[in-house]
Amino acid sequence: MTDHDEAAAVRPLTLAWVTRHLEAGERIVRTEALHGGITAEMRRLTIATRDGGTRDLVLRTFVNVEHAEDWLSRETCALALLTGTGVAAPGLVAVDPTAAHCEYPSLLMTHLAGRTVLVDEGVEGRVPLLARQLVAIHAVRPAERPRGYVALTTADTVVVPKGADAAAWAAAIDVIRGPAPPYEGRFLHRDFQPGNVLFDVPPSRPAGVRITGVVDWAATSWGPADLDVAHCSTNLALLHGPAWGLRFAEAYEEAGGVLAAAASERRYWLVRDALASSEEVRWVSQPWREAGRAELTTRVVEERLDAYVTALMDALS
């Protein structure tokens, strides 16, 4: 077995566990660290098969993560649920949520073709695809509902960026002081954003871009469709500019999605997610820079968040 880089090396107990879940005669011939995740280590494992070919698996490892067992349990349930639904997600191979066999809680799953695309070029074509994919996710009707959504941000935990529009942020914070609006529950990904969506972009025909899969189902929840839409909107605003954050809700409705009827209710969810990002700018922007968006420094992302919150308050007032 060869490692693509030092970070790709699989720990001994975990390696033995993975090996036990391979087919007879198979062996790991290459490992590669996958970058872009925030909470977990990701590795791509190339497996030599008995017929002389290869296949790939993905190993997801939570190292010293407080809620790893809960997240892995939810992801396991989600992957099982999504089998056969038309929503392309990894297939479950094995899971060790309590680290009974591995050094740390781990998940082994099939590898999906495609790659994340975070560049500005072509965003106008990807946004409708993202919207249609999210509508399909929200159409899933699980026999057993996942846990209700969790929104940890409060008016007291929001971090107002330096130099931000004080009046706009004060008004936004007032929005989330009130109770959450009533909603019709939907199956939520809860972290649906470009970093968790894989695309196939033909080099000779960029306009033929298509989504090949959605990954990272650890936060699967039950809640308002508006919350997933708001989360993707915030990420688009920070990645590509506030206008794309505002555009995504429109694209979702154009794709057949249904959002809260009242403008005040839509504003609540959009504002809540934007303010939640204020507490995580540093952690959110780092994997984007590692993926090639070097210009997205913490300060630049803070400025975009400020512009987006201001735009939300102006557009929805």
Side-chain angles (χ1 to χ4, degrees):
M1 180 179 66
T2 59
D3 295 335
H4 186 66
D5 57 43
E6 187 176 347
V10 180
R11 297 173 180 87
L13 292 177
T14 304
L15 181 61
W17 174 77
V18 169
T19 302
R20 289 197 296 273
H21 288 92
L22 300 181
E23 299 292 334
E26 291 188 333
R27 59 190 179 90
I28 302 171
V29 294
R30 186 172 184 265
T31 66
E32 177 186 358
L34 301 177
H35 301 288
I38 297 176
T39 56
E41 295 178 355
M42 304 288 291
R43 294 175 176 84
R44 177 176 176 171
L45 312 179
T46 300
I47 313 300
T49 58
R50 288 175 294 180
D51 60 6
T54 61
R55 66 186 180 104
D56 290 330
L57 297 176
V58 172
L59 175 66
R60 180 173 168 90
T61 303
F62 287 86
V63 179
N64 299 325
V65 176
E66 184 179 358
H67 301 292
E69 181 178 356
D70 173 56
W71 286 359
L72 281 176
S73 296
R74 279 199 277 173
E75 185 156 24
T76 300
C77 291
L79 297 185
L81 168 68
L82 292 166
T83 302
T85 63
V87 175
L92 176 65
V93 176
V95 63
D96 182 14
T98 61
H101 307 284
C102 305
E103 284 85 353
Y104 299 100
S106 300
L107 173 70
L108 186 64
M109 54 192 159
T110 59
H111 176 266
L112 296 177
R115 59 184 176 87
T116 56
V117 181
L118 304 179
V119 296
D120 288 333
E121 181 182 4
V123 63
E124 66 280 354
R126 296 193 302 274
V127 163
L129 296 179
L130 288 167
R132 288 199 290 272
Q133 181 65 77
L134 190 54
V135 170
I137 291 171
H138 291 163
V140 173
R141 296 291 182 265
E144 184 176 342
R145 293 180 181 179
R147 190 182 73 177
Y149 78 90
V150 175
L152 300 178
T153 300
T154 70
D156 297 323
T157 59
V158 173
V159 180
V160 180
K162 182 179 179 180
D165 185 323
W169 280 75
I173 290 171
D174 278 343
V175 167
I176 68 168
R177 289 187 191 279
Y183 61 85
E184 183 177 353
R186 289 286 184 270
F187 177 76
L188 305 182
H189 182 282
R190 200 61 183 93
D191 191 17
F192 185 84
Q193 42 91 4
N196 284 330
V197 178
L198 304 177
F199 290 89
D200 173 42
V201 185
S204 60
R205 193 168 57 90
V209 60
R210 65 184 182 90
I211 290 176
T212 58
V214 181
V215 298
D216 194 355
W217 296 87
T220 302
S221 307
W222 187 261
D226 287 78
L227 193 54
D228 262 357
V229 171
H231 188 63
C232 192
S233 296
T234 300
N235 278 268
L236 288 169
L238 302 185
L239 272 169
H240 307 297
W244 290 108
L246 297 173
R247 168 74 182 115
F248 187 69
E250 298 174 357
Y252 179 82
E253 289 189 295
E254 290 166 2
V258 178
L259 296 173
S264 61
E265 295 175 352
R266 297 185 184 204
R267 179 175 64 178
Y268 176 89
W269 300 112
L270 288 166
V271 168
R272 171 169 281 289
D273 192 86
L275 296 184
S277 293
S278 74
E279 303 172 37
E280 303 174 339
V281 168
R282 180 178 302 173
W283 294 274
V284 167
S285 58
Q286 181 178 341
W288 291 345
R289 291 193 297 274
E290 293 173 352
R293 295 296 303 274
E295 79 281 11
L296 293 181
T297 64
T298 299
R299 184 58 189 150
V300 166
V301 175
E302 285 178 340
E303 290 171 350
R304 288 191 175 185
L305 179 59
D306 177 37
Y308 178 54
V309 168
T310 301
L312 282 178
M313 298 312 296
D314 289 344
L316 301 171
S317 59

